[in-house]
Amino acid sequence: MKEAFQIGQLKAEQGEKISGFLPIDGTNLEIPITLINGAQEGKTILICGGLHNAEYVGIQAAMELADELEPENVFGNIIIIRLLNRSGFEHRTMSLVYEDGKNINRVFPGSASGTVADKIAYMMETVIYPHIDYFIDLHSGDGFEGLESFVYCLGNANDYVVETSRKMAEIAHVKYLVVSESNSGGAYNYAGKLGIPAILLERGGNSTWCKTLVEEDKHDVKNMLRFLGILRGNAHLHGMAPKQVSPVTYEDAPVSGCWYPVYQPGETFREGDVLGVIKDYFGKEVFTCYAKHGGIMMYETISLCIMKDSPMVAYGVWDEEKDGRITKECSVCGEDEKHFGEDHEARHAHKHVS
Ligand SMILES: [Zn+2]
């Protein structure tokens, strides 16, 4: 007989699925979760949606996975957090916790005596992490972010964690993979530090979601579960693993103002190319962002508003000599990437503003 699986007050017996709320101690918040106690013995995995509440593809995928996965096909246990940052969701913030304006992915390991975001992280660390062997964190581009779908795996952890995380990530049906070097701050990075293999899947952007992207997320998660032996069946592997484009250069805005990005997420460029400019409210250019190396735009701010010290661009290493892909055609004039490479004036004239 397999043991009952309990998180907080929620308890699922062998072969049972149960949904309900998990309180965040010291707050009025309750987080919707689902527990699946598989019919067979096995490992325990956490699938988390809505750590960032405006990243809707991951939230909808987590909710649908909770409904679709059935205990009779599960070996071990599955914890699904349907929506972690609930107060942010209900106030439609751009993913910051409503009560304190903090990003949950900057406060790990949390604290019981901190503000709400710290307490949410503390709950994850003390209530959820002690149970889990693996972790899949589902994200998207936020309301102000355009994003090329990709997967993060852990690079700064013990060998077992690094290898397992990479194998999980390579199952994702996305074009690119980024190896994270950070091992603190974020839910997924911190899990790695504790010895838990974890991946972070990024799919969709601009706080939009659609059935196709949700299906792709679910497809990837189910394949990872099969690969890990938690879900019955064989992982359906795609011909080509995602291509590594790390390290990633993350650049924050040095000033507030209006932001005019030049490239779309997924487009490539060369060292020294202009990635975007910040203008003041009178149209005067106050900052020009140049590519520090040839790169592929993983995600970037796409809102007209950009704030000092907030994310501006995140681009991975791309070497055109080693990579047959070329920049997409310009959606304005239809010319190819060589045109983009000629000079900055030409690029400004064909700015991709969405
Ligand atoms: Zn996110």
Side-chain angles (χ1 to χ4, degrees), residues 51-52 55 95 103 105 138-142 145 200 202:
L51 186 151
H52 289 148
E55 301 181 358
S95 290
N103 179 346
N105 254 358
L138 299 176
H139 288 247
S140 317
D142 212 302
E145 277 172 344
L200 191 158
E202 295 272 17

Side-chain angles (χ1 to χ4, degrees), residues 82 100 138 161 168 173:
R82 291 168 168 253
D100 56 19
L138 299 176
V161 168
M168 289 165 70
H173 194 202

Side-chain angles (χ1 to χ4, degrees), residues 299-314:
Y299 62 90
E300 64 183 337
T301 288
I302 44 94
S303 58
L304 183 59
C305 160
I306 200 158
M307 296 180 295
K308 185 178 192 306
D309 300 329
S310 73
M312 181 169 59
V313 289

Side-chain angles (χ1 to χ4, degrees), residues 46-52 58 84 105 124 129 135-140 151-152 168 186-189 198-202 217 221:
L46 166 66
I47 300 165
C48 182
L51 186 151
H52 289 148
L84 185 62
N105 254 358
M124 292 285 277
Y129 286 1
F135 175 20
I136 296 173
D137 202 5
L138 299 176
H139 288 247
S140 317
V151 62
Y152 281 109
M168 289 165 70
Y188 127 98
N189 316 81
I199 64 106
L200 191 158
L201 189 56
E202 295 272 17
D217 253 17
V221 171

Side-chain angles (χ1 to χ4, degrees), residues 23-289:
I24 307 292
D25 284 349
T27 75
N28 297 321
L29 284 174
E30 290 188 313
I31 304 304
I33 70 168
T34 295
L35 301 182
I36 300 172
N37 186 338
Q40 297 79 213
E41 295 285 351
K43 303 280 193 185
T44 297
I45 190 164
L46 166 66
I47 300 165
C48 182
L51 186 151
H52 289 148
N53 59 275
E55 301 181 358
Y56 296 138
V57 175
I59 297 170
Q60 185 61 23
M63 294 192 295
E64 291 188 19
L65 281 163
D67 294 337
E68 290 174 15
L69 294 167
E70 293 301 343
E72 56 264 32
N73 297 320
V74 171
F75 296 73
N77 304 298
I78 304 177
I79 306 167
I80 297 155
I81 296 179
R82 291 168 168 253
L83 168 62
L84 185 62
N85 183 4
R86 184 178 167 191
S87 64
F89 188 87
E90 291 171 355
H91 289 86
R92 211 191 283 140
T93 69
M94 285 194 190
S95 290
L96 302 177
V97 171
Y98 173 69
E99 290 85 351
D100 56 19
K102 290 183 182 173
N103 179 346
I104 297 174
N105 254 358
R106 300 285 178 275
V107 301
F108 273 77
S111 114
S113 59
T115 58
V116 173
D118 303 301
K119 290 183 163 102
I120 293 172
Y122 185 75
M123 179 283 290
M124 292 285 277
E125 191 202 341
T126 56
V127 177
I128 306 282
Y129 286 1
H131 293 278
I132 63 174
D133 300 297
Y134 309 104
F135 175 20
I136 296 173
D137 202 5
L138 299 176
H139 288 247
S140 317
D142 212 302
F144 57 91
E145 277 172 344
L147 182 138
E148 167 72 26
S149 298
F150 67 103
V151 62
Y152 281 109
C153 63
L154 294 161
N156 185 1
N158 70 44
D159 290 350
Y160 162 74
V161 168
V162 168
E163 281 165 29
T164 310
S165 166
R166 176 137 193 153
K167 282 181 187 157
M168 289 165 70
E170 285 183 343
I171 287 168
H173 194 202
V174 290
K175 279 195 272 182
Y176 305 107
L177 175 150
V178 174
V179 180
S180 323
E181 291 310 323
S182 164
N183 73 350
S184 62
Y188 127 98
N189 316 81
Y190 192 71
K193 190 174 185 170
L194 298 178
I196 302 162
I199 64 106
L200 191 158
L201 189 56
E202 295 272 17
R203 182 173 271 126
N206 323 350
S207 278
T208 55
W209 71 279
C210 65
K211 204 136 188 52
T212 305
L213 293 179
V214 170
E215 289 298 327
E216 287 176 16
D217 253 17
K218 290 192 295 178
H219 173 91
D220 284 348
V221 171
K222 286 178 183 175
N223 264 339
M224 289 177 206
L225 294 176
R226 292 183 189 111
F227 166 76
L228 295 169
I230 293 171
L231 182 65
R232 191 188 302 283
N234 295 320
H236 166 227
L237 298 179
H238 299 275
M240 199 170 65
K243 186 176 180 63
Q244 184 171 331
V245 290
S246 41
V248 165
T249 295
Y250 300 91
E251 199 172 338
D252 289 346
V255 285
S256 294
C258 299
W259 166 242
Y260 301 91
V262 173
Y263 294 95
Q264 298 277 8
E267 288 186 330
T268 55
F269 42 82
R270 300 180 179 89
E271 182 180 343
D273 283 354
V274 173
L275 299 182
V277 296
I278 300 176
K279 295 181 181 179
D280 67 15
Y281 303 128
F282 301 97
K284 181 174 165 257
E285 211 166 296
V286 290
F287 176 74
T288 306
C289 176

